[in-house]
Amino acid sequence: MDDRAAAALALNLVLKYRRTSDQVLGSLDSPAARDYFFGSLRHYFAICSLLDPLIKRPIAEKHQDIYCLLIVGAYQLIYGRTPEHAALHATVQACQELKKDWAKGLINGVLRNLQRQCPINLSTEQSYPSWFANLIDQGYPGKMRSVLAALLQRAPQAVRVNLKENTVEAYCALLKQAGINYSNGYTKATLVLNKAVRQQDLPAFYEGKVSTQDAGASLVTELLPLKSGQRLLDTCAAPGGKLFALMEATPKIQATAVEVSSRRVAYLASEADRLGHSPTILEGDSTSTDWWDGTPFDAILVDAPCSGSGTVRRHPEILILQEIQRLRGYQQQQLRLLANAWQTLKPGGLLLYCTCSVFETENDDVIKAFLADAREASVVNLALPTGNPTDVGWQLLPTDYKTDGFYYALLKRAE
Ligand SMILES: C[S@@+](CC[C@H](N)C(=O)[O-])C[C@H]1O[C@@H](n2cnc3c(N)ncnc32)[C@H](O)[C@@H]1O
């Protein structure tokens, strides 16, 4: 299929059916189609603010694919590298592929009007819904622009070498053989690739020697010190990246993984098989302790569901699909997950809370609210090679190109 038409159809699935980029990526075969799709998502708000005044009559809902094609066309004119006339011509032709030849005049007219305004200088903030930009401004005074700009970049691909299956040196040799260049991440096992490759094309992927994992997420192994034989609980486990990182860093820990979604439980189990790990996997709801046999854990990871605001580089549809009204619900769920997990922790045990959010409401605010009720909990100070300390935790930001936005806080239960 034509790249522009494919990108428009994928964008339509996001707008109309709230699909995620992961869910529609399979329909985008070429790098160009993926660039049109991701670029249109990243700059959706800025593009719509310019396009909408140029559309004289509203486009019927059943023709939203044409509106999406206009967005793809505008993205190329404003942000793309294709010469404007070629981009415009090809976008008009893409109407044929959508079987809507009647829309050629509309696309041509609107994009020509937009072309007359080019080059257009748009601010970074214009690519964001105002509530998102405001929360970043409040949370990171003086840094709003750099944080927002970083979230609009493409994220690098980082990998975690499975230390149970091979050494880092041995895996680096495999990468070199395959002509894949890399630099070091922030843990021994993490490598950041210079150029992304499909996961299944990573050397020895199917032998379980490697996994894709963001360099910020991999830092979990530096934060939750475990000893062989200790019992670890992961309350929100799938797809298992942090759980497996911990199992690879310390041999022979007894890990229990709880996950509420049966589909994600199945994926977690298949990943455990691929990597050669045998955690106890339970399908259950970690806002209750129904699944618990009463034996306490030495260490707990609560990697809570959140807005995903720190991962906008990889999932730019978050800017469109996420809503400020949902943040309160996330916060309540995060607190329930923490409070339940705490009941299963041994005296003297450690609990690591994390989110892939850059919003304080899901991070420090949650830990502070939890501490207000849990007197036998104390904060353990953290020090990481990247990011910044917060009042009670640590915030990673995508202004460091290697990491997404992540938040960590470590709590210790009194003996
Ligand atoms: C941020 S993801 C976890 C990522 C994972 N720890 C990793 O590193 O790969 C959150 C997970 O929690 C699951 N989840 C959400 N609510 C839950 C609940 N009440 N109990 C258990 N799992 C839950 C979601 O289905 C999702 O798989």
Side-chain angles (χ1 to χ4, degrees):
M1 176 177 258
D2 169 82
D3 292 335
R4 292 165 177 88
L9 289 177
L11 186 59
N12 199 21
L13 289 175
V14 174
L15 297 183
K16 201 164 171 182
Y17 300 107
R18 303 182 67 80
R19 297 272 161 78
T20 63
S21 50
D22 283 349
Q23 288 167 336
V24 302
L25 215 54
S27 65
L28 301 168
D29 298 331
S30 74
R34 289 194 286 275
D35 172 53
Y36 300 146
F37 171 68
F38 280 108
S40 299
L41 285 178
R42 287 193 174 103
H43 301 292
Y44 172 81
F45 287 92
I47 292 171
C48 291
S49 72
L50 291 168
L51 268 186
D52 290 349
L54 301 177
I55 301 171
K56 299 288 175 256
R57 257 179 299 159
I59 298 174
E61 213 187 308
K62 63 179 176 183
H63 298 309
Q64 196 171 269
D65 51 350
I66 291 298
Y67 183 64
C68 291
L69 185 58
L70 275 171
I71 295 176
V72 169
Y75 164 68
Q76 297 163 77
L77 293 182
I78 304 167
Y79 299 97
R81 288 197 207 115
T82 316
E84 285 171 18
H85 62 278
L88 203 148
H89 177 74
T91 308
V92 170
Q93 291 310 311
C95 289
Q96 258 164 262
E97 192 95 27
L98 300 178
K99 302 204 170 27
K100 296 192 176 173
D101 274 27
W102 59 265
K104 281 183 173 175
L106 170 70
I107 301 266
N108 189 44
V110 172
L111 291 185
R112 276 198 192 287
N113 277 340
L114 183 66
Q115 189 187 15
R116 278 185 207 109
Q117 299 175 30
C118 290
I120 301 167
N121 273 330
L122 288 161
S123 69
T124 305
E125 295 95 294
Q126 281 174 276
S127 293
Y128 284 84
S130 53
W131 66 266
F132 194 114
N134 289 341
L135 281 180
I136 298 294
D137 197 22
Q138 286 159 25
Y140 307 93
K143 283 197 196 163
M144 177 185 74
R145 246 184 224 142
S146 58
V147 174
L148 293 182
L151 284 170
L152 293 178
Q153 302 302 309
R154 291 176 198 195
Q157 182 183 10
V159 297
R160 186 188 75 246
V161 177
N162 183 352
L163 297 177
K164 216 182 135 203
E165 294 291 324
N166 52 182
T167 62
V168 177
E169 294 70 27
Y171 196 74
C172 287
L174 291 179
L175 285 178
K176 277 186 190 139
Q177 239 173 47
I180 299 172
N181 297 321
Y182 58 87
S183 59
N184 291 329
Y186 294 114
T187 73
K188 188 175 149 202
T190 309
L191 303 169
V192 181
L193 307 187
N194 291 6
K195 200 164 165 243
V197 294
R198 289 187 314 169
Q199 183 163 266
Q200 58 270 35
D201 295 337
L202 286 167
F205 176 77
Y206 290 107
E207 290 105 273
K209 292 192 174 178
V210 71
S211 301
T212 293
Q213 184 171 45
D214 177 81
S218 302
L219 277 166
V220 70
T221 57
E222 309 304 294
L223 294 169
L224 203 52
L226 288 160
K227 294 191 194 105
S228 292
Q230 281 192 320
R231 283 169 52 79
L232 166 73
L233 166 67
D234 185 342
T235 63
C236 303
K242 298 189 191 68
L243 172 74
F244 300 138
L246 289 165
M247 295 183 83
E248 286 158 21
T250 313
K252 297 191 183 127
I253 53 175
Q254 296 177 53
T256 299
V258 182
E259 167 59 51
V260 78
S261 148
S262 49
R263 189 178 49 82
R264 290 171 72 87
V265 163
Y267 183 72
L268 177 73
S270 71
E271 276 295 275
D273 268 1
R274 182 180 71 80
L275 293 165
H277 300 310
S278 311
T280 301
I281 301 176
L282 303 174
E283 184 176 327
D285 180 352
S286 295
T287 59
S288 87
T289 46
D290 292 350
W291 50 268
W292 187 39
D293 67 4
T295 317
F297 295 95
D298 299 289
I300 298 180
L301 174 66
V302 179
D303 187 5
C306 69
S307 63
S309 56
T311 63
V312 163
R313 298 188 305 176
R314 297 175 203 280
H315 303 290
E317 74 278 9
I318 286 172
L319 298 180
I320 301 169
L321 302 182
Q322 206 46 272
E323 294 159 337
I324 189 167
Q325 293 82 348
R326 292 173 70 184
L327 295 184
R328 176 113 190 96
Y330 285 128
Q331 193 184 62
Q332 285 166 348
Q333 193 187 14
Q334 288 151 355
L335 269 167
R336 277 203 302 274
L337 286 165
L338 262 179
N340 262 282
W342 196 252
Q343 295 179 49
T344 71
L345 184 62
K346 258 187 190 166
L350 290 172
L351 183 150
L352 182 65
Y353 172 79
C354 61
T355 70
C356 53
S357 175
V358 286
F359 298 149
E360 213 172 330
T361 62
E362 304 182 272
N363 298 339
D364 264 13
D365 287 358
V366 170
I367 298 298
K368 286 177 185 173
F370 175 74
L371 288 171
D373 279 347
R375 298 222 182 101
E376 76 283 32
S378 58
V379 171
V380 180
N381 287 333
L382 304 178
L384 288 175
T386 179
N388 301 296
T390 60
D391 287 353
V392 287
W394 194 275
Q395 184 72 56
L396 303 183
L397 288 173
T399 41
D400 173 350
Y401 169 72
K402 288 185 180 176
T403 76
D404 283 341
F406 264 101
Y407 173 82
Y408 289 108
L410 187 61
L411 303 175
K412 185 174 166 73
R413 186 169 182 156
E415 298 281 352

